Amino acid sequence: MTVQTINFHGLPALRLELHSGDSVVVALQGAQVLSWVCEGKERLYLSPRALLDGHSAIRGGIPICFPQFNLRGPLPKHGFARNVVWQSDGDAAGDDVLSLVLHDDAATREWWPHSFSVRLRVRLLPRRLRVELEVANTGGEPWTFAAALHTYLRVDDISDVALEGLQGARRWDAVRDDRHVETAAVLRFTSEFDSVYAAPAQGVRVTQPAGALSVTQSASLSETVVWNPGVDLSARLADMPDDGFRHMLCVEAARIDEPVMLTGGGQWTGWQELSLD
Ligand SMILES: O=P(O)(O)OC[C@H]1O[C@H](O)[C@H](O)[C@@H](O)[C@@H]1O
């Protein structure tokens, strides 16, 4: 197992490699995982048109949304954590773990006037990647936050992908602004798909001809968001190729509807785990 500091397409990043050859790359910007190679194959989608300028949101990998999800609040979309540079936190790292931390500073207090630290631990195991977010209130006043691990899974062809595990879950279909209980045992993706589900306890499974991947998450992340922009929105997104939608599916572990309240000194943890079947 080796940890290296690297330059990933111009971005400072950390890279961890197992003896097996599996590897993970995490950019200091946003503590965003940008690559997970498992058994010789890239498992995360990173748009070939992603903006890698050191501050714009990066289209792909595992963006961290904090302390806001989407436009559900006054902050920039998905909060500011994905736009700022985090620090490597070697102390909190272990043999198979990369750790990065973000503390409040003058810039974050301009957006959000609170004292906090957010830590991301990325654990690389054979056939498995676990991403754990820890949020602490380092001040005296209580505050609330929303968060998401906005994972872009790489798929060979979205028309061959099936997502299982959401039948019976409460769903808000954001495309149609419709609330209902999911009836489908298997979801398929033929057009824009953007839905927030009550997270199923057993997680979900993404299957395609090349194999299956299971996605599980902590109960503290109470929602699973499923997003694929489809052909029209993909063409409108400047940082995605027109056919980008074919090669990705976002399965996000999120905390949206009921924000977390942390009193001074309080701490919260949420995780998502990806594992090859
Ligand atoms: O374009 P971004 O700001 O990265 O957001 C990308 C997407 O994130 C989530 O999946 C939301 O549910 C979508 O509504 C949003 O379009």
Side-chain angles (χ1 to χ4, degrees):
M1 195 267 337
T2 45
V3 183
Q4 293 167 280
T5 303
I6 63 161
N7 180 305
F8 189 84
H9 303 292
L11 288 180
L14 303 176
R15 182 174 186 275
L16 180 66
E17 181 171 334
L18 298 182
H19 296 303
S20 64
D22 287 4
S23 65
V24 65
V25 174
V26 187
L28 296 191
Q29 182 194 331
Q32 190 157 333
V33 179
L34 296 180
S35 164
W36 171 40
V37 174
C38 181
E39 306 209 326
K41 205 171 158 188
E42 179 59 65
R43 307 289 168 173
L44 297 178
Y45 176 79
L46 176 62
S47 168
R49 294 220 191 131
L51 297 171
L52 303 174
D53 59 14
H55 57 87
S56 299
I58 301 170
R59 175 81 55 207
I62 310 183
I64 296 173
C65 306
F66 173 88
Q68 176 183 297
F69 185 76
N70 215 331
L71 293 168
R72 299 188 187 204
L75 298 176
K77 192 175 177 195
H78 289 320
F80 52 76
R82 64 180 178 166
N83 303 102
V84 299
V85 173
W86 296 39
Q87 289 151 28
S88 166
D89 182 29
D91 293 353
D95 263 9
D96 48 10
V97 182
L98 290 177
S99 179
L100 294 97
V101 68
L102 177 69
H103 298 287
D104 62 290
D105 62 14
T108 68
R109 286 191 293 270
E110 287 267 309
W111 282 304
W112 200 58
H114 301 300
S115 302
F116 69 87
S117 70
V118 189
R119 188 166 269 108
L120 186 79
R121 289 195 184 86
V122 179
R123 183 179 297 270
L124 182 61
L125 298 154
R127 301 174 70 82
R128 229 174 345 141
L129 184 73
R130 185 184 170 98
V131 180
E132 189 177 298
L133 190 68
E134 184 187 281
V135 180
N137 180 342
T138 54
E141 300 300 317
W143 39 257
T144 60
F145 69 94
L149 299 165
H150 191 310
T151 304
Y152 285 74
L153 300 174
R154 165 170 283 281
V155 299
D156 293 330
D157 186 336
I158 193 69
S159 58
D160 293 330
V161 171
L163 181 66
E164 300 162 8
L166 288 164
Q167 191 175 36
R170 276 181 291 111
R171 171 181 185 183
W172 176 55
D173 179 340
V175 178
R176 289 163 195 81
D177 189 16
D178 177 46
R179 287 176 196 276
H180 58 269
V181 169
E182 181 60 66
T183 53
V186 174
L187 298 175
R188 300 222 170 240
F189 304 93
T190 51
S191 58
E192 182 181 357
F193 194 105
D194 189 358
S195 287
V196 178
Y197 287 93
Q202 73 287 359
V204 300
R205 204 159 159 263
V206 178
T207 64
Q208 49 178 339
L213 186 90
S214 291
V215 184
T216 51
Q217 66 192 69
S218 60
S220 57
L221 287 165
S222 41
E223 280 103 9
T224 301
V225 183
V226 181
W227 182 59
N228 179 282
V231 62
D232 295 335
L233 179 54
S234 197
R236 290 200 305 274
L237 292 172
D239 59 354
M240 203 178 228
D242 289 358
D243 70 344
F245 74 98
R246 274 195 192 287
H247 302 297
M248 50 76 63
L249 178 67
C250 283
V251 178
E252 310 164 32
R255 177 73 177 244
I256 303 169
D257 285 339
E258 213 179 290
V260 180
M261 216 263 285
L262 282 183
T263 51
Q267 198 170 303
W268 171 96
T269 306
W271 54 262
Q272 185 191 50
E273 194 169 291
L274 312 177
S275 59
L276 252 62
D277 281 14

